[in-house]
Structures are given as C-alpha cells and as structure tokens.
Amino acid sequence: MDNICDETICVLLAGGQGTRLYPLTSDRAKPSVPFGGKYRIIDFTLSNCLHSNIRRVLVLTQYKSHSLQKHLRDAWSIFSPELGEYITAVPPQMRTGESWYAGTADAIFQNLYLLERSGAKRVLILSGDHVYRMDYAAMLQRHIEQGADLSVACMRVPIADAASFGIMTVDQSDRVVDFTEKPSQATPLPGDDQHALASMGIYVFNIDVLREQLDADHAASRSSHDFGHDLLPGLIRSHQVSGYQFGGSGGRVSPDRYWRDVGTLDSYFDANMDLLSSVPPLDLYQDSWPIRTYQGQHPPARVSSSDSGTMGALRNCMLGNGSVVNGATVIDSILSARVCVEQGAHIESSILFDNVRIGAGARLRRCIIDKDVNIPAGTCIGYDAAADAQLFHISDKGVVAVPKGAFSALTAALKGPSSPALAKDSSTAR
C-alpha cells in the first residue's frame, strides 16, 4: 500500500471564490473558513491525505489566498522535503497563457509540468472545501485492482437532491456506464427509487490518461474546462472508468459516511450544528484518525460567575481554548478560541469565531459571528429579521452572518435610540 501512495501525487483544488458563503469569504478563500470551533475546512481533506500516507500535495490557490497560505504554513509544515514530501501552495503562474484558472480541468492543465516532473504514476484530485473523512489509500488500491484509467468516488444521495450533483450509473462490476451533470431528472439506483449515485468530485487518474485528456480539453475552444461537465462524459465512452463507493468497509477510517459540501451559509451552519448532535454523524474522536489543525498557545477555557454572583451556564456546546463564559448562558453553540461572553448575555444556536467578544446582556440566536467582532452590550441579533437585514447578511433559512468589522463601521448608528438591532432585551425576545 505504501508503494501505491508513493507513486501518487495529490492536487487539491482550493481556489474557488466561495461567493455563496459570503460574507465569510469576503476576505478569505472558502477552504480557510473556520469550522467546528477549531479547524479550517481544508483541514479535513489534508488530514485524509496525512492518514492515507499521501505525502506529496499541491494546493492550487487563487482568490483571496493569504489566509489559506498562512494556515498551510502554520498548521501543515509537517512533511520532510529531504524525503520528497511536501504540501505546497501553487497560485496561478500563467505558464500556458494569460488567463487565471478557468475551471477545474484548466487548473490542472496549467500545472501539468509539476505532475510530470514528479514521476508519479497516478494523480489524486481533491477539493479543499468539503467536510468528510476518507481513506484515499483504499480508493487507490481499488483503482489498481480494477485496472481503471480513472476512478471516481461516489455516494448515495436522495433523489430530490440529485440536481445539485453529477449523477452516475455503474454496472455490476462498478464500471461507470453513464454520467449526467446536475440532471433535472436523475436515474435512481436499481431497486432503490429514492436515491441516486452522485460523484463526489474525487478522482484518481493514471497520469498518461490525464495528460492526454487535458491536452485535448485545452484545445477545445467551446469547453468550459470542467471535469464533470466536459471530461467525464467522453472518458466513460473511451476508457475504463470505475466508480468507488464512499463509506464502505474498505479503509481504516470508521465508516461514518458523512460528506458535506459546505458551500452556502445554510449548509455550513447545519454542518457545524451536526457536531452538536447527541451522536454526531461525523466522528471527530477516532484516535487513529484525528483532524489536524493549527493549535494556538491559549490558556484553558473557563466558565465563571460574574461579579454579581451569576454563574455561567453551558448546555450542549463546544468551547475553544482561551474562551471565557462569565455569568452568561450559552446553549447549542460553538465557541472558537478566545471568545469572551460577558454577564447576562444569552447565546443560542450560534457559531462564534476566534476573538469574538459578546457584551453584557446581548442576545444572539442562529448567528455566525466572524472573528474579532465586538458585539456591544445589550445587542439583540436573530430576533428581528427585518432589523437584522438592514445591517447584516441573512441566509435563506434565517441564519444571520455578522462579518468582520461590522460594528466598528456602524458604531455611531447603532448607538442611536431608533436602532432595532441594539434594542434591549424585552419579555418578547426569547
């Protein structure tokens, strides 16, 4: 197995704009958005590489990449260059023309020279903006056993959600015989009309096949240069394409079968709240498969009583290092590092990033508060959608996202008596 991994190079696509996750992506790439009170989204994919013994990883960056590159430096400078191991950020270098990355296939094409000089026989292509755990070594092993030119990881999805995915059909030997990108009417699985088989955007290519296909795609003027839309349909007709079903018994990670595209505020919020379930569908506690990240030098978290003697209370929460809950109530929420919640505040079903300060008596419900935000005392957010919409971004399901710098720019306005967002708590605000 180690030899298989040694002969594989990984390309991790991490350059998307993440516009649907705005404002959390207003000044950071989507893969570097915080997740679960401790991690960045990209940590899940990179941890999978680490535990799968994939030690050569090219991270293709593009938009607003400084935060991501800093995180890669601080958290992932763990491999040995002397042994040919690396996790390297690769911004667009325009070696093949004047354009930025124009699609997933074009991003790989622009960096083919890095793949070719690596000497690798296979290329593992991943996305840096999904939350899941997976043993890629098991997929590589299956790829070789099947004699495949290309293997595509796939999973069962409800038929009602199929329009958001590329939908595959496989035969009894797991060969892919059909693929349709985001169909309006998907073909259900045999014997199960409630589910379809969806591509996860995880590919294993034999490098000679990848080079051939990318050269042809680059020359096709009408191509959108996307793997699912442009390359995969043709490959199914001309090559051996194998489907690898996610969440099976193969591999060393426990089969939790959890995979989430956290590309919108609502999907991001829901995935975080999944971690607070009585039995979380994503097992972060498997000792043999920990999720690695940057660990700041913070003091222990603390729940304390206020000066008036009111005791802080937590119920079903995750509390980051260095956080202090001082005579406040926090319910069903995730607090990252160095969050301070002052006396009388009430936080419910919310996600607070690093260094957030919640003033005394403030009330938050179904909120995402970006890092370094200082919520003034007495502020109410998440109780009046019309008032919140004047100041913040609200998702389709009513989650309120408060971006960095929101209150520093609005301090004067928020102090006015007519500001509903700063209305003091009342008997109706529960």
Side-chain angles (χ1 to χ4, degrees):
M1 186 70 74
D2 287 347
N3 187 53
I4 294 173
C5 297
D6 290 344
E7 295 173 344
T8 301
I9 188 170
C10 173
V11 179
L12 203 164
L13 301 169
Q17 284 184 282
T19 53
R20 296 180 301 155
L21 203 52
Y22 182 86
L24 304 183
T25 53
S26 60
D27 60 1
R28 60 167 73 91
K30 183 165 65 169
S32 67
V33 171
F35 184 86
K38 180 176 181 178
Y39 310 103
R40 304 293 183 115
I41 294 173
I42 198 173
D43 289 330
F44 289 83
T45 307
L46 287 175
S47 293
N48 291 338
C49 290
L50 173 65
H51 299 311
S52 302
N53 203 29
I54 303 296
R55 300 302 179 97
R56 293 187 290 173
V57 182
L58 302 174
V59 181
L60 305 192
T61 63
Q62 185 157 253
Y63 299 100
K64 301 174 182 176
S65 61
H66 173 71
S67 177
L68 176 58
Q69 290 174 325
K70 181 178 182 297
H71 180 68
L72 293 175
R73 180 198 69 194
D74 294 345
W76 289 98
S77 297
I78 60 173
F79 290 162
S80 173
E82 292 85 355
L83 299 178
E85 304 171 346
Y86 49 81
I87 295 176
T88 300
V90 184
Q93 300 178 76
M94 300 182 183
R95 294 176 63 94
T96 60
E98 298 297 322
S99 66
W100 290 57
Y101 296 149
T104 54
D106 181 64
I108 308 294
F109 175 79
Q110 290 198 34
N111 293 286
L112 263 178
Y113 79 103
L114 291 175
L115 307 183
E116 291 171 338
R117 77 179 191 181
S118 73
K121 295 181 179 180
R122 287 168 294 279
V123 181
L124 172 65
I125 299 174
L126 306 171
S127 174
D129 52 13
H130 299 147
V131 174
Y132 67 110
R133 300 186 314 153
M134 180 177 177
D135 187 355
Y136 304 133
M139 182 177 178
L140 287 164
Q141 180 68 43
R142 181 66 172 165
H143 173 84
I144 292 173
E145 292 172 352
Q146 293 280 84
D149 298 305
L150 162 64
S151 292
V152 184
C154 51
M155 64 179 184
R156 292 171 177 250
V157 298
I159 200 77
D161 299 335
S164 300
F165 296 91
I167 299 301
M168 303 162 49
T169 303
V170 299
D171 62 18
Q172 293 182 343
S173 63
D174 290 328
R175 178 166 183 164
V176 181
V177 296
D178 188 51
F179 179 87
T180 306
E181 182 75 3
K182 299 180 179 179
S184 56
Q185 291 186 332
T187 302
L189 287 165
D192 182 1
D193 59 4
Q194 298 301 310
H195 292 87
L197 198 60
S199 167
M200 299 169 64
I202 298 172
Y203 308 105
V204 176
F205 272 95
N206 293 341
I207 194 166
D208 55 338
V209 174
L210 179 62
R211 182 191 308 111
E212 167 194 287
Q213 294 298 310
L214 291 179
D215 284 341
D217 178 73
H218 179 70
S221 59
R222 294 187 179 182
S223 174
S224 61
H225 309 299
D226 179 80
F227 278 110
H229 188 269
D230 301 296
L231 272 71
L232 206 50
L235 277 163
I236 290 169
R237 294 189 294 269
S238 61
H239 291 74
Q240 173 75 27
V241 180
S242 178
Y244 178 83
Q245 296 212 26
F246 170 68
S249 58
R252 293 165 290 115
V253 65
S254 63
D256 46 36
R257 297 179 175 84
Y258 186 91
W259 180 94
R260 293 292 184 274
D261 179 352
V262 289
T264 67
L265 281 176
D266 286 322
S267 63
Y268 172 84
F269 180 84
D270 290 343
N272 275 272
M273 291 297 108
D274 284 344
L275 301 177
L276 298 175
S277 301
S278 56
V279 181
L282 177 65
D283 181 9
L284 297 178
Y285 301 94
Q286 183 180 339
D287 291 339
S288 62
W289 204 276
I291 307 303
R292 182 185 175 85
T293 192
Y294 170 70
Q295 300 277 7
Q297 297 302 307
H298 306 309
R302 183 184 180 199
V303 181
S304 64
S305 59
S306 66
D307 292 341
S308 63
T310 303
M311 187 63 192
L314 297 179
R315 189 176 74 203
N316 192 33
C317 296
M318 299 173 72
L319 196 61
N321 287 343
S323 291
V324 176
V325 177
N326 182 23
T329 300
V330 184
I331 301 170
D332 297 331
S333 296
I334 297 176
L335 278 58
S336 302
R338 290 194 176 274
V339 170
C340 180
V341 186
E342 298 181 357
Q343 64 177 351
H346 184 96
I347 312 298
E348 185 173 350
S349 300
S350 294
I351 305 164
L352 280 54
F353 289 4
D354 288 358
N355 301 315
V356 166
R357 178 173 291 272
I358 309 298
R363 298 180 64 86
L364 276 64
R365 182 174 64 184
R366 288 177 59 79
C367 295
I368 304 172
I369 312 297
D370 210 333
K371 66 183 296 186
D372 299 324
V373 171
N374 189 344
I375 304 292
T379 302
C380 290
I381 307 176
Y383 293 87
D384 186 332
D388 293 334
Q390 296 176 30
L391 303 172
F392 312 118
H393 187 91
I394 303 181
S395 73
D396 293 339
K397 294 182 180 179
V399 176
V400 184
V402 180
K404 289 188 285 187
F407 281 93
S408 60
L410 297 168
T411 298
L414 288 170
K415 288 181 178 178
S418 62
S419 173
L422 267 186
K424 295 292 184 179
D425 187 22
S426 68
S427 60
T428 59
R430 298 298 182 203

